[in-house]
Amino acid sequence: MTLGQSIITCFRKYFVFSGRATRSEFWWFMLFRNVLISVPLSLTSVIASDTWNVVTVIPCLSAGARRLHDMGRSGWWQALPLVSLPVFALSVWVLGDQAFALSPDLVTSLHGIVLIAGGVVLGLTLVLLIYWWVTPGTQGSNRFGEDPRGASAPNIFD
């Protein structure tokens, strides 16, 4: 799948959280959304950048869900970082300006430990999701549908 095909596919499947997506569909769309459009917009206009991010959050989530489906995983795994994000955000809010100072007092305090633990868990969950998104999908059909590469697609990573 090419960049153009991926963009068209992901916008056509704006609210489609069922089925499967190839790695190329997912990663071309992420490149388009996050690098080719979001970066230039963020350098020029905060309003345009925020608008773009709001408009494209649903197709990103749906493409991510379909990508996870390709490996036989539920799309709900994308919510995994949300487990640690509230703890991390609450710690930053409670600590205020001290949150990123990393003084010895902060590191040994309960808030500091929660902040660091929340950051580590958040980072690990993001790494896990990225690992799953780069992993080849299951060959043939699975519980989420037919193989988007076709039934006889070779797996070059075996």
Side-chain angles (χ1 to χ4, degrees):
M1 180 171 286
T2 65
L3 174 63
Q5 291 169 329
S6 171
I7 294 166
I8 291 168
T9 300
C10 288
F11 278 119
R12 279 190 180 154
K13 294 182 175 183
Y14 200 96
F15 290 106
V16 178
F17 287 84
S18 61
R20 296 168 62 176
T22 62
R23 286 181 293 175
S24 61
E25 175 186 331
F26 175 79
W27 286 111
W28 278 124
F29 187 70
M30 292 300 121
L31 174 74
F32 165 74
R33 187 225 186 219
N34 296 321
V35 177
L36 300 179
I37 302 296
S38 288
V39 170
L41 279 179
S42 66
L43 296 174
T44 58
S45 169
V46 173
I47 294 172
S49 177
D50 289 348
T51 302
W52 172 254
N53 288 329
V54 167
V55 166
T56 59
V57 71
I58 299 295
C60 283
L61 290 173
S62 65
R66 290 192 310 273
R67 180 71 206 113
L68 289 169
H69 290 170
D70 194 36
M71 291 164 287
R73 289 183 170 74
S74 169
W76 283 103
W77 280 108
Q78 292 181 102
L80 193 58
L82 298 177
V83 172
S84 60
L85 190 59
V87 173
F88 184 72
L90 180 64
S91 296
V92 170
W93 179 71
V94 167
L95 293 170
D97 292 338
Q98 296 177 347
F100 300 104
L102 290 182
S103 66
D105 294 335
L106 175 65
V107 173
T108 58
S109 72
L110 178 60
H111 290 296
I113 292 169
V114 169
L115 175 70
I116 293 168
V120 167
V121 171
L122 178 62
L124 290 174
T125 58
L126 292 173
V127 167
L128 178 64
L129 279 173
I130 291 169
Y131 171 75
W132 283 342
W133 285 326
V134 300
T135 303
T138 57
Q139 290 184 342
S141 61
N142 66 17
R143 66 185 175 128
F144 296 103
E146 294 298 318
D147 191 339
R149 293 163 300 279
S152 62
N155 187 348
I156 61 171
F157 295 100
D158 283 342

